[in-house]
Amino acid sequence: MTQIRPDLRVEYLRGNVNSRLGRLDAGEEFDAIVLARAGLERLGVERLGETLDIVPAVGSGVLAVDCRRADSDVVELVRSLDHKQTRQCVSAERMMLHGLQGHCNSPIAGHARIERDGQLSLRGMVFTRDGSQFVHSQEWAPPERGEDLGAYVADDLLRKGARDLIGEIPH
């Protein structure tokens, strides 16, 4: 956020959506609160606001189901839940993450999606903890080449200095 609006002071809020919005409405010292639009929609909360173009953490919002291979009925049930495009997107994101070799504290963001033209796009970013420095990459490929795309974006981020940013963050 500091790259977009360096004049803002960012604080982290805890609590559910209603309590956070209540604090804003009560006049606490916040000019704005950033919340996930999907969460607000799910809760039926309609508020005026802007949509920010933020790259989320790799795999955000994706559900995975794991089961024993020996349970063939369960395997078939789970297979019916598979969404090919989501799997292609997550494969690209995860390959990017793997290529960056980050750790659990690494501020790495990645978002893949199938564009209107049918291409798979992947945006990747690596930040310093305070967000004052970052590297960014975005590339496109056919959806069936998601893992190649993820590896390419990781390599591009590394060429731009991602290793140094990741290395500065303690484990």
Side-chain angles (χ1 to χ4, degrees):
M1 185 61 80
T2 56
Q3 298 88 6
I4 300 168
R5 292 288 307 271
D7 57 313
L8 297 180
R9 179 177 47 99
V10 177
E11 292 188 21
Y12 296 97
L13 291 175
R14 298 189 58 85
N16 65 39
V17 170
N18 289 331
S19 67
R20 293 176 191 190
L21 291 173
R23 290 174 64 185
L24 178 68
D25 293 341
E28 281 196 45
E29 302 235 358
F30 305 112
D31 292 320
I33 295 177
V34 178
L35 300 167
R37 179 175 295 280
L40 294 174
E41 289 173 0
R42 230 180 358 262
L43 294 170
V45 176
E46 294 185 27
R47 301 280 293 231
L48 292 177
E50 278 187 48
T51 300
L52 302 176
D53 186 19
I54 296 174
V55 182
V58 169
S60 290
V62 175
L63 299 176
V65 178
D66 195 11
C67 65
R68 292 187 303 265
R69 287 185 180 152
D71 293 339
S72 58
D73 292 342
V74 175
V75 169
E76 278 307 307
L77 179 63
V78 170
R79 186 171 286 131
S80 71
L81 299 174
D82 182 52
H83 186 259
K84 182 180 177 181
Q85 290 181 332
T86 299
R87 185 173 16 87
Q88 291 169 324
C89 291
V90 172
S91 292
E93 293 175 13
R94 292 183 71 197
M95 184 56 75
M96 180 199 75
L97 186 62
H98 176 76
L100 291 170
Q101 298 178 355
H103 50 79
C104 60
N105 293 325
S106 299
I108 297 171
H111 184 251
R113 69 181 191 184
I114 306 294
E115 300 289 350
R116 288 185 178 153
D117 66 0
Q119 288 283 91
L120 175 64
S121 72
L122 175 60
R123 292 176 63 193
M125 297 182 83
V126 178
F127 306 84
T128 55
R129 285 194 90 150
D130 66 0
S132 63
Q133 297 176 28
F134 67 96
V135 291
H136 175 266
S137 179
Q138 182 170 11
E139 294 295 332
W140 295 261
E144 62 275 5
R145 303 287 310 257
E147 290 186 1
D148 294 337
L149 177 62
Y152 184 85
V153 169
D155 288 344
D156 190 38
L157 290 166
L158 291 169
R159 280 190 298 276
K160 292 176 177 177
R163 175 62 42 229
D164 293 336
L165 298 179
I166 292 169
E168 292 176 6
I169 306 294
H171 290 255

